[in-house]
Amino acid sequence: MRRAVCPGSFDPVTNGHLDIVGRASRLYDEIVVAVLVNKSKSSLFTVEERMDMLAEVTGEYGNVRVDSFHGLLVNYCRTHDIPVVVKGLRAVSDFDYELQMAQMNHGLAGVETLFIATNPLYSFLSSSLVKEVAMYGGDVAGLVPQHVLDRLLARLAERC
Ligand code: PNS
């Protein structure tokens, strides 16, 4: 079984994330999308809500499952017998930090990192930008799946 993990905050999942998860799902037998539980970072959605949205929008791939983790990613990989991390690279600006993490993860536990070049349609896209634009009434349809858009607009309406 060739297995890889796509880790992240996914607050919320965007079409950019989905592009990477979908492409990774064609390269491996199983992809685990792992949501980081980070109590020190404030988020719009709870980990359970983020996992629900991920499960909903990745269901069509057939070989993707959703999980959460806390602590070091390499410990999660070790425990679940996952040798590869898949990350999307949007632009050169992502590269410095992603390279550091990939080298650290390899040094710590021999975990490899596969970088997939993000579809240029989504090279500007991040969860934080989507939240900011949506919060100020901008149109983010087309940047997140419809199901996520509905939940995002509902959550922002609640908060306002
Ligand atoms: O979506 P994000 O917030 O950019 O994802 C970052 C993430 C979760 C992939 C990264 O912060 C991570 O792997 N965190 C787990 C803690 C860890 O292993 N830190 C050392 C990295 S070398």
Side-chain angles (χ1 to χ4, degrees):
M1 167 80 88
R2 290 173 316 135
R3 193 181 282 129
V5 61
C6 291
S9 303
F10 303 105
D11 186 41
V13 57
T14 68
N15 286 345
H17 293 128
L18 268 189
D19 170 52
I20 299 300
V21 172
R23 288 159 67 191
S25 75
R26 294 196 285 276
L27 301 175
Y28 293 91
D29 298 317
E30 181 178 64
I31 293 294
V32 181
V33 179
V35 180
L36 174 66
V37 179
N38 185 352
K39 295 211 167 78
S40 61
K41 199 169 152 186
S42 69
S43 57
L44 187 61
F45 293 100
T46 65
V47 170
E48 290 71 26
E49 288 169 333
R50 286 179 257 160
M51 290 174 69
D52 277 357
M53 286 186 271
L54 278 162
E56 168 83 26
V57 301
T58 59
E60 68 184 86
Y61 299 125
N63 63 342
V64 175
R65 70 187 166 81
V66 180
D67 198 2
S68 63
F69 75 105
H70 49 82
L72 286 180
L73 177 61
V74 290
N75 288 343
Y76 179 85
C77 290
R78 241 193 301 243
T79 312
H80 294 84
D81 196 21
I82 301 177
V84 182
V85 176
V86 174
K87 290 288 193 75
L89 275 185
R90 287 169 298 191
V92 176
S93 50
D94 279 344
F95 186 72
D96 271 353
Y97 187 48
E98 291 296 344
L99 181 65
Q100 280 179 12
M101 285 199 285
Q103 289 169 328
M104 179 64 87
N105 286 337
H106 186 262
L108 285 172
V111 171
E112 298 290 359
T113 300
L114 176 85
F115 291 118
I116 295 184
T118 295
N119 183 327
L121 281 176
Y122 306 125
S123 56
F124 61 93
L125 191 50
S126 68
S127 299
S128 352
L129 262 191
V130 164
K131 285 184 284 191
E132 186 174 330
V133 171
M135 192 167 71
Y136 292 111
D139 183 9
V140 293
L143 304 181
V144 293
Q146 184 63 47
H147 175 75
V148 174
L149 180 66
D150 295 342
R151 296 194 55 171
L152 176 62
L153 297 181
R155 177 56 45 87
L156 292 173
E158 279 164 32
R159 293 264 168 120
C160 291

